[in-house]
């Protein structure tokens, strides 16, 4: 299960690289944005899951839910990426005169949207490690 999750995450990241370019302006910004959002999401999801995993009685069920959330939000984002510039035009229009503000707004919106599936993917390892901890008595 975890191998397929990783393969899916890599596929999402690859598609985001190509689709984020038109949203943020160029491929260099796209690459930096995708890597930053993905790494931040993995860290945030991991920290959240570690903090909450001890309270969850069924971590495998939580893992399944988080995987479904990652898949659904990731697929929705892939489908939505081509229409994002037009969708956010009302936000971008007042910023058209200031290049720095316009770029910051585009990066912030795209970062926030990518953070959702990336955070869900970051929560998967602690949720799968919890049942192993219960069997062995530790993570090691």
């Amino acid at each position: 299960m975890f191998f397929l999750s990783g393969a899916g995450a890599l596929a999402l990241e690859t598609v985001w690289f190509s689709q984020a370019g038109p949203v943020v302006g160029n491929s260099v910004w796209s690459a930096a944005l995708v890597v930053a959002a993905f790494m931040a999401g993995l860290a945030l999801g991991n920290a959240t899951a570690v903090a909450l995993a001890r309270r969850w009685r069924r971590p495998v069920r939580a893992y399944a839910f988080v995987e479904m959330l990652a898949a659904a939000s990731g697929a929705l984002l892939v489908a939505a990426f081509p229409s994002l510039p037009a969708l956010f035009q009302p936000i971008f229009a007042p910023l058209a005169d200031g290049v720095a503000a316009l770029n910051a707004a585009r990066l912030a919106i795209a970062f926030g949207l990518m953070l959702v599936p990336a955070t869900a993917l970051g929560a998967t390892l602690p949720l799968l490690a919890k049942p192993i901890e219960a069997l062995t008595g530790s993570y090691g």
Side-chain angles (χ1 to χ4, degrees):
M1 289 187 314
F2 199 66
F3 173 78
L4 293 175
S5 172
L10 185 58
L12 279 177
E13 190 175 8
T14 303
V15 172
W16 290 348
F17 273 124
S18 65
Q19 287 188 325
V23 174
V24 297
N26 65 47
S27 60
V28 173
W29 286 37
S30 171
L33 174 68
V34 170
V35 170
F38 207 78
M39 291 297 130
L42 290 178
L44 181 61
N46 189 289
T48 302
V50 166
L52 296 176
R54 303 217 185 274
R55 292 186 238 163
W56 290 336
R57 292 185 203 176
R58 297 181 176 158
V60 175
R61 185 176 286 178
Y63 169 80
F65 173 77
V66 168
E67 281 291 349
M68 287 188 292
L69 176 65
S73 61
L76 183 61
L77 185 57
V78 166
F81 251 124
S83 61
L84 287 181
L87 182 67
F88 290 113
Q89 184 61 29
I91 295 172
F92 297 153
L95 304 173
D97 293 336
V99 175
L102 177 62
N103 288 336
R106 287 194 280 180
L107 288 170
I109 289 169
F111 182 87
L113 291 173
M114 284 187 249
L115 197 62
V116 173
T119 300
L121 288 166
T124 58
L125 182 60
L127 292 174
L128 277 184
K130 180 65 177 157
I132 295 169
E133 177 188 19
L135 291 175
T136 64
S138 70
Y139 279 109

